[in-house]
Amino acid sequence: MVVTASNRAAAGVYEDRGGPLLVEGLAGMGFAVDGPRVVPDGEPVAAALRAGVAAGYDVILTTGGTGISPTDATPEVTRPLLEREIPGIPEAIRAHGRTKVPTAALSRGLAGVAGGTLIVNLPGSTGGVRDGLAVLDALLVHAVDQIRGGDHPGPGPGHAS
């Protein structure tokens, strides 16, 4: 599921561009995707996240609301839902983005598990979404498998044990 947190896009002031990129990226990784659901930042994001967790989605990606402006509240409404945080995911996304845009360090996005659902907050910019997808492409399928209780793959040929 994809959730876009944007007061202006939810009000029709401008078109959501990050959400469709996330839908395309998740579909390219083999996920069936619901969304994007465009909602104002804050409690509407929390409601969408709760609904997605209750529906049993494997992954919920949010875009928007992770910055430092007064209306950015996505991390604050995400954190109470998480049973286990996974700090390495947003750290990797920020590090990847920082190589191109120094302000990527200002993103406060979180990642973690709620029920059996992996939730990842991504920035609202299309560049931030692309950076997030670049990082997630290498780990999302494995993370979902692990959340479901999958075993770690053993060493393959040519690997020392």
Side-chain angles (χ1 to χ4, degrees):
M1 180 169 122
V2 172
V3 177
T4 298
S6 172
N7 295 334
R8 290 176 289 180
V13 174
Y14 62 71
E15 183 180 349
D16 171 27
R17 294 182 16 216
L21 284 176
L22 286 179
V23 169
E24 181 181 320
L26 281 171
M29 293 178 218
F31 290 94
V33 188
D34 178 14
R37 296 184 186 182
V38 181
V39 298
D41 205 348
E43 181 51 37
V45 174
L49 293 175
R50 286 192 300 270
V53 170
Y57 287 104
D58 290 324
V59 177
I60 301 173
L61 300 182
T62 69
T63 176
T66 65
I68 58 175
S69 80
T71 60
D72 289 328
T74 297
E76 286 75 21
V77 300
T78 300
R79 181 170 273 123
L81 304 175
L82 300 178
E83 295 154 16
R84 295 186 295 168
E85 284 195 43
I86 309 171
I89 294 174
E91 289 167 5
I93 293 167
R94 285 187 283 270
H96 183 80
R98 229 178 14 248
T99 63
K100 295 171 278 194
V101 182
T103 56
L106 298 176
S107 175
R108 300 176 308 111
L110 302 174
V113 179
T117 303
L118 175 63
I119 300 173
V120 181
N121 300 148
L122 298 174
S125 69
T126 55
V129 166
R130 286 188 183 95
D131 290 339
L133 287 170
V135 170
L136 293 172
D137 187 52
L139 56 85
L140 205 54
V141 171
H142 180 69
V144 168
D145 181 60
Q146 291 295 292
I147 291 167
R148 290 180 178 167
D151 197 8
H152 292 281
H159 290 90
S161 43

